[in-house]
Amino acid sequence: MRLSRSHPRYASLRLRAHLADLTRAGLVAPEGLIAHGRGETFDYLLGERTSPSARAAERRAAGWLRSARHPVLSVNGNVAALAATEVARMAHACPGLSVEVNLFHRTPARARAVAGVLRAAGVSEVLGIRPTARIPGLPSDRALVDRRGILVADLCLVPLEDGDRTQALRALGKKVVSIDLNPLSRTSQTADLPIVDELRRALSHIGDDLEGGGPPERTGRFVRFDRRRALADALGLIGRNLRRAAAVRSRSAGERGRASPRPARGTGGRSRRTP
Amino acid sequence: MRLSRSHPRYASLRLRAHLADLTRAGLVAPEGLIAHGRGETFDYLLGERTSPSARAAERRAAGWLRSARHPVLSVNGNVAALAATEVARMAHACPGLSVEVNLFHRTPARARAVAGVLRAAGVSEVLGIRPTARIPGLPSDRALVDRRGILVADLCLVPLEDGDRTQALRALGKKVVSIDLNPLSRTSQTADLPIVDELRRALSHIGDDLEGGGPPERTGRFVRFDRRRALADALGLIGRNLRRAAAVRSRSAGERGRASPRPARGTGGRSRRTP
């Protein structure tokens, strides 16, 4: 389908078409498209921009990445499809940060495809293509990791991660930084530092902070982060946006007898400035 | 991936796997998976059950279907994949109700696949496989309809419909009943009778009401429905559920130092009784 640049949801529709293409190409799992849709709705409800609270979490995450002795950035199909450039930029900006392929729906072909996209974007070393270890407490393929990467990491940055795996990493005593638009998800609820923001915005901001900071210190000590406050901030923002949207809709319905000022598209669609 | 029946999200995960399979088979468009994910989040926020307000809307929709002179039920790939049985049941329970294939991402193969699924479920006549008319104001394929169906309908029931098309149908003077989990979507905001409920629950309830009612009256007159109230009810319910979830999370975090009582899975995941 041709997309018109004038469409108020052009960027969002283009991204959907991009992910759909990469699903046909085998990089993104079909289940990854469903997960993207879930995230779209939360981003819509959060206003499709980084909140001050999320920005503070991103700054703290950059600090943690510079303090960790062995930080690992975990990459799945959706992350590679959406943000390979941002991942490569972070790897350059943070010497010692490992990048590991970590797939929920793992096939050797998809692992190679993810690694290929990362290398093409400029990541020089990609771990996890052929897993060499397992983390306890997880079934089958979902436990597979690299013994040079996640297995020995003290800090894992897990964008768009599954709740079971986040909990398993925590149970191993690792510090977990998550990027997940759903503040109620098990991943957000379990992570030590939950970032409730859209993937590319979050990684870009962390990249800015890493480039702006000095060289990593690798002390293994992490400055405290108030995770409960961060999650409460996100829920509060969604609540305020919903009330505002309801008020706008009922006002325009009252004025015109019928609400229609470019609200959202289809299930979960949204206007440019939302909600 | 094998799914454990004991998983709290078993039904939801199974449905995702089903839709992913049907995407590989060409029935569901990849973009349909993203739309399903958006809907999942809204269903989660609505509590994953039919609200009293939505149930009232479904009853009124059954009444409208019995009053319409020429009602049409529009079916796309997601609707066929999720609810072919419910569609067939409605067609039997409501003599005179036409069923029309109506695709956003139309290909002849997908149109045939949707029709095949509907016939296999027991729908005797399926319109729209080879479209014979266009509705004005829409680009290319998205305008294609059947001249025996949507073109001449006085009432269109459009589950999981696109906002542009809903508006185009309204502009033609047709009554539109929508089924869409997003109360802020352009479809919900534009429909004469927006049902904010999950597809299968909504169609099952309407089927119940049709089977419980007498024969259709076909008067062409429609009992008034308070659409603004219905949408405000849905937004209010989401707001209350969010506040409750925030309170539960902060209570359990306070008691145990860490929130984790089976909240949601990954981006947009959810617990059995949600949120």
Side-chain angles (χ1 to χ4, degrees):
Chain A
M1 187 177 62
R2 284 249 305 289
L3 297 174
S4 160
R5 280 183 178 276
S6 65
H7 194 288
R9 303 297 311 160
Y10 175 73
S12 173
L13 294 176
R14 224 187 109 184
L15 205 56
R16 288 179 200 165
H18 173 66
L19 286 171
D21 287 345
L22 291 179
T23 302
R24 291 183 198 98
L27 180 72
V28 174
E31 290 81 358
L33 294 180
I34 302 179
H36 181 74
R38 291 197 296 277
E40 273 192 358
T41 294
F42 278 105
D43 198 21
Y44 166 51
L45 294 173
L46 286 161
E48 292 183 312
R49 58 184 135 184
T50 303
S51 69
S53 172
R55 189 66 190 88
E58 289 154 0
R59 260 190 296 272
R60 183 55 49 86
W64 282 21
L65 285 168
R66 295 176 61 245
S67 302
R69 291 191 198 279
H70 188 171
V72 174
L73 168 50
S74 163
V75 177
N76 61 25
N78 280 33
V79 174
L82 293 168
T85 309
E86 287 82 356
V87 168
R89 182 179 166 217
M90 282 179 63
H92 285 289
C94 189
L97 173 65
S98 300
V99 176
E100 176 164 342
V101 177
N102 188 14
L103 302 178
F104 191 87
H105 297 279
R106 179 181 280 273
T107 65
R110 182 170 294 125
R112 284 193 302 272
V114 168
V117 168
L118 291 174
R119 285 204 197 93
V123 180
S124 51
E125 190 179 12
V126 180
L127 304 180
I129 307 169
R130 254 169 287 163
T132 45
R134 309 179 66 89
I135 44 179
L138 287 176
S140 64
D141 290 358
R142 293 162 56 196
L144 299 172
V145 293
D146 197 305
R147 68 173 164 228
R148 297 164 297 166
I150 287 173
L151 188 73
V152 295
D154 58 343
L155 173 69
C156 296
L157 170 53
V158 292
L160 318 183
E161 183 55 287
D162 162 67
D164 284 340
R165 287 212 297 212
T166 304
Q167 287 190 320
L169 294 174
R170 283 281 308 136
L172 288 175
K174 299 178 191 305
K175 286 278 181 188
V176 175
V177 178
S178 65
I179 301 175
D180 188 329
L181 283 156
N182 177 2
L184 298 170
S185 77
R186 201 141 43 96
T187 290
S188 292
Q189 295 283 329
T190 307
D192 298 281
L193 198 167
I195 297 172
V196 183
D197 197 8
E198 191 271 332
L199 174 70
R200 290 175 306 167
R201 292 197 304 264
L203 293 183
S204 293
H205 291 150
I206 297 171
D208 291 345
D209 296 336
L210 288 171
E211 287 179 354
E217 291 161 8
R218 307 280 168 243
T219 59
R221 289 194 306 274
F222 301 99
V223 180
R224 191 179 163 282
F225 179 76
D226 189 345
R227 49 186 304 290
R228 262 188 271 168
R229 172 68 174 277
L231 298 174
D233 287 345
L235 285 170
L237 177 59
I238 292 175
R240 285 195 301 282
N241 283 339
L242 274 169
R243 283 192 291 281
R244 192 174 306 152
V248 168
R249 297 297 186 282
S250 89
R251 242 197 336 272
S252 59
E255 282 161 11
R256 275 171 270 185
R258 174 152 219 108
S260 73
R262 282 231 163 270
R265 289 180 67 70
T267 300
R270 50 249 167 107
S271 60
R272 187 185 292 266
R273 254 312 112 220
T274 50
Chain B
M1 187 177 61
R2 283 250 302 290
L3 297 173
S4 160
R5 281 183 178 275
S6 64
H7 195 288
R9 304 296 310 160
Y10 175 73
S12 173
L13 295 176
R14 223 186 109 185
L15 205 57
R16 288 179 200 165
H18 173 65
L19 286 171
D21 287 344
L22 292 179
T23 301
R24 292 182 197 100
L27 181 71
V28 173
E31 291 81 357
L33 293 181
I34 303 179
H36 181 74
R38 291 196 296 277
E40 273 192 358
T41 294
F42 277 104
D43 199 20
Y44 167 51
L45 295 172
L46 287 161
E48 292 183 313
R49 57 184 137 186
T50 303
S51 69
S53 172
R55 190 66 190 88
E58 288 155 0
R59 261 191 294 274
R60 182 57 46 87
W64 283 21
L65 286 168
R66 296 175 62 245
S67 302
R69 291 190 198 280
H70 188 173
V72 174
L73 168 50
S74 163
V75 177
N76 61 27
N78 281 33
V79 174
L82 293 168
T85 309
E86 287 82 357
V87 168
R89 183 179 165 217
M90 283 180 62
H92 285 290
C94 189
L97 174 65
S98 300
V99 175
E100 178 164 339
V101 177
N102 189 15
L103 301 178
F104 191 87
H105 298 279
R106 180 181 279 274
T107 64
R110 182 170 294 123
R112 284 193 301 271
V114 168
V117 167
L118 292 174
R119 286 204 197 94
V123 180
S124 51
E125 189 180 11
V126 180
L127 304 180
I129 306 169
R130 255 169 286 159
T132 45
R134 309 180 67 89
I135 45 179
L138 288 176
S140 63
D141 289 359
R142 293 162 56 196
L144 298 172
V145 293
D146 197 303
R147 68 174 165 230
R148 297 163 299 166
I150 288 173
L151 188 73
V152 295
D154 58 344
L155 173 70
C156 296
L157 170 54
V158 291
L160 318 183
E161 184 55 288
D162 161 68
D164 284 340
R165 288 213 296 213
T166 304
Q167 287 190 318
L169 294 173
R170 284 281 309 135
L172 288 175
K174 299 179 192 305
K175 285 277 181 190
V176 175
V177 178
S178 65
I179 301 175
D180 187 330
L181 282 156
N182 177 1
L184 297 170
S185 76
R186 201 140 43 95
T187 291
S188 291
Q189 295 283 330
T190 308
D192 298 282
L193 199 168
I195 296 172
V196 183
D197 197 6
E198 191 272 332
L199 174 69
R200 291 173 308 168
R201 292 198 303 265
L203 293 182
S204 292
H205 292 150
I206 298 172
D208 291 344
D209 296 337
L210 288 171
E211 287 178 354
E217 290 161 6
R218 307 280 169 242
T219 59
R221 289 194 306 274
F222 302 98
V223 179
R224 192 180 162 280
F225 179 77
D226 189 344
R227 49 185 306 288
R228 259 187 275 168
R229 172 70 173 276
L231 297 174
D233 287 344
L235 285 170
L237 177 59
I238 292 176
R240 284 196 302 281
N241 284 339
L242 275 169
R243 282 192 293 280
R244 191 173 307 151
V248 168
R249 296 296 186 282
S250 87
R251 237 191 348 264
S252 61
E255 282 160 12
R256 276 171 270 186
R258 173 153 220 109
S260 73
R262 282 233 163 272
R265 288 182 67 71
T267 300
R270 52 250 166 106
S271 61
R272 186 185 292 269
R273 256 310 112 224
T274 48

